[in-house]
Amino acid sequence: MGRLTRDPAFKETTFVVIDFETTTPRGYPAQPIEVAALALRHDGNAWVSVGTYSSLIRPPAFAPVTPADTAQTGLTADEVGQAPSPAEALGGLDRQLADGCRYLLVAQHAATEANIIYNQREHCPTLSRTDLLDTIPLAKDVVPGLPNYKLDTLLSHFAIQQPADRHRAYADVDVTAQVFMRLVAEADRRDACDDLAALAKTAGRTAKCNLPVQSELFEV
């Protein structure tokens, strides 16, 4: 292993790979209808899974599941109509994050997850203050020259099998986790990132709740 996975801060961090499926009503931000997460730790020699979570989420009335949503995810309006509320589903995930532990969220195109979490922050205060790593800039840094950095392209590059239920949250979390582990291994091999701070500089995204609040341009 290289310097990154020997870094004490890296080994002390739990990396929570997260994915949402959503419905996007006109005039409103995307509303989650499913969430999944897979928590990983690196012990200096290998990755260890330390927890999983998944739940359907009942969307608000203004954001019904459409036929297009069903075609992409396989989820139906009836299924999500019986699902836990956002407060129940996201609150359940939030309670999995233990006080005093170091966490980073990991996502493919993390801006999407960051926005969803921020908009649901009242239900998941700990999650909403957890910074993120984005697999896309990390992949651009350690495997340059790919035609694009979509998840399917990265799966093909690393010869990771497409899941049968692609576009369901846990299936996407599972393959994103595999991509992330391959990217870390490649960063280690190339000494592209010396430590967690360098990894965060390359691929980090600050949680919106951790950004400074900009004061009004003109005070009244």
Side-chain angles (χ1 to χ4, degrees), residues 23 25 31-33 57-65 86 120:
T23 183
Q31 300 295 310
I33 56 174
I57 304 173
R58 185 173 69 251
F62 64 77
V65 170
Q120 300 290 330

Side-chain angles (χ1 to χ4, degrees), residues 94-103 126:
D94 206 60
R95 289 188 291 273
Q96 302 298 310
L97 304 182
D99 291 340
C101 293
R102 185 202 302 263
Y103 294 98
T126 302

Side-chain angles (χ1 to χ4, degrees), residues 38 40 47 174 176-186:
L38 169 60
L40 300 168
W47 288 100
D174 180 63
T176 300
Q178 292 183 56
V179 166
F180 175 64
M181 290 186 284
R182 302 286 183 90
L183 291 172
V184 168
E186 187 66 12

